[in-house]
Amino acid sequence: MTDRLPRLLSLAPYLRAHPGVRIADMAEDFGVDERQLRRDLELLWMCGLPGYGPGDLVDLSFAGDTVSVVEDAGMQRPLRLTTAEATALLVALRTLHETPGLTDTDAVARATGKIEAAVGEAAPGMVVDTPAPEHAGTGTVRRALERGRALRIVYYTAGRDAVSRRVVDPMRLLLVDGRGYLEAWCRRAEGVRLFRLDRVEDAEVLDEPAQPHPDAEPTDVSDGVFRPAADQRAATLELGPDAHWVAEYYPVDDAAEPDGAGTIRVVLRFSDPDWLVRLVLGLGGAARVVDPPELAATVAERARQALAASAGW
């Protein structure tokens, strides 16, 4: 109902603004299937003003696969943003505006101004602290894209804990889950890769034009950057309260509710065991490998080695 009620309240204003709209197009705009939309329209027919007689209820007209509103029963104004919704939107826009090199900042500034004008004094005293991340080479990456040039980058790969130098053909810049990425054809890997901008340690625009491979396809990031693959293994981790962010940042197959101590158990997929070992060690005592046992043993051995090395300093 929390999803359906706002949609029902928006149907009549939408139909006023789009007379004779195709039901398929309307369903797509509202993010539901046609069957659900038709159920909503049937329910809307029974809504209206006290009296509930002719002229009091919402009246719709269907013609083929299109629909129009004949009587809106006073439901003419679209829903307005709540204070919480407007605040969340402003935070997102300001973060986007202050992320260098990722988007048309003038367009974002105009959108922010419109939202602020619409909100007015609804959220007085709101303070948003979103410092702009200064990533090395972000401006250089954008210049390479604008000029259609190849790019030489020095890149840190967290999965292998290694720095590499590679030549790439830039395709586009992306902002996913608050992080900036360069999507490019990597000549070294001979494939499309996403490079996190905060891990680009240096970048140089080359004189040669960018030449992405003819088979290069944009990466689908609609469900996030991290995607499970058939060749990935799975590990069961116990995460303490200070490590709950892992279940939010990385896609997990399962997550149990916190126990009395605030510990949750998750199943995390991985390709490189060394990456997962470093992740768990970096979390200190806030995370523990439950399964597979050989991975838990590796974590324990690496921890003992680190303690022995620190004792000798």
Side-chain angles (χ1 to χ4, degrees):
M1 182 55 66
T2 56
D3 293 331
R4 194 181 189 190
L5 179 58
R7 187 168 64 248
L8 287 169
L9 294 173
S10 300
L11 288 177
Y14 176 93
L15 289 170
R16 278 294 187 199
H18 303 82
V21 64
R22 293 177 63 249
I23 292 178
D25 294 338
M26 189 176 180
E28 182 177 354
D29 287 344
F30 279 92
V32 296
D33 57 37
E34 292 186 41
R35 183 179 179 184
Q36 178 61 56
L37 182 63
R38 289 183 182 275
R39 286 199 295 263
D40 291 343
L41 293 173
E42 291 170 359
L43 178 58
L44 190 64
W45 242 334
M46 296 182 285
C47 301
L49 301 172
Y52 308 109
D56 298 324
L57 299 178
V58 174
D59 190 11
L60 305 175
S61 173
F62 293 87
D65 62 348
T66 68
V67 60
S68 300
V69 62
V70 177
E71 173 58 51
D72 58 28
M75 299 172 61
Q76 299 178 0
R77 296 179 59 184
L79 293 177
R80 304 188 62 158
L81 292 173
T82 65
T83 299
E85 290 169 340
T87 300
L89 187 56
L90 285 173
V91 169
L93 285 170
R94 289 175 182 174
T95 301
L96 188 62
H97 183 267
E98 294 172 0
T99 302
L102 287 184
T103 189
D104 184 345
T105 55
D106 290 338
V108 174
R110 291 194 298 272
T112 303
K114 291 178 181 178
I115 298 297
E116 289 175 337
V119 174
E121 299 300 322
M126 181 183 69
V127 177
V128 181
D129 182 13
T130 53
E134 294 296 335
H135 304 320
T138 301
T140 305
V141 170
R142 188 167 184 83
R143 286 195 299 273
L145 271 168
E146 292 172 347
R147 299 174 185 176
R149 299 291 184 180
L151 193 66
R152 179 181 289 114
I153 61 174
V154 178
Y155 187 71
Y156 170 69
T157 303
R160 296 193 299 273
D161 191 27
V163 175
S164 62
R165 291 168 174 78
R166 57 184 82 196
V167 175
V168 301
D169 299 295
M171 296 167 59
R172 59 175 176 164
L173 285 169
L174 301 169
L175 185 65
V176 184
D177 297 329
R179 295 185 182 276
Y181 293 86
L182 165 67
E183 183 178 49
W185 177 266
C186 178
R187 299 183 184 179
R188 172 178 169 178
E190 296 185 345
V192 176
R193 295 292 185 270
L194 290 176
F195 300 97
R196 265 179 51 171
L197 292 179
D198 59 346
R199 292 177 180 168
V200 176
E201 298 185 355
D202 193 20
E204 177 189 356
V205 180
L206 303 181
D207 290 335
E208 60 182 291
Q211 298 178 345
H213 195 274
D215 296 332
E217 294 288 342
T219 305
D220 181 7
V221 295
S222 57
D223 294 326
V225 172
F226 301 102
R227 294 288 187 89
D231 61 341
Q232 289 178 331
R233 298 166 58 191
T236 302
L237 307 179
E238 283 188 351
L239 305 175
D242 291 340
H244 284 186
W245 63 267
V246 172
E248 300 172 358
Y249 184 76
Y250 298 103
V252 295
D253 291 344
D254 189 21
E257 291 296 323
D259 60 16
T263 299
I264 62 175
R265 180 171 289 198
V266 301
V267 177
L268 178 66
R269 293 190 174 274
F270 65 96
S271 299
D272 186 352
D274 286 339
W275 170 83
L276 189 58
V277 169
R278 287 195 300 273
L279 174 66
V280 175
L281 289 174
L283 293 169
R288 183 175 73 90
V289 177
V290 178
D291 189 68
E294 63 271 16
L295 190 62
T298 300
V299 171
E301 178 60 27
R302 295 274 184 89
R304 283 193 292 268
Q305 292 174 359
L307 288 173
S310 62
W313 289 351

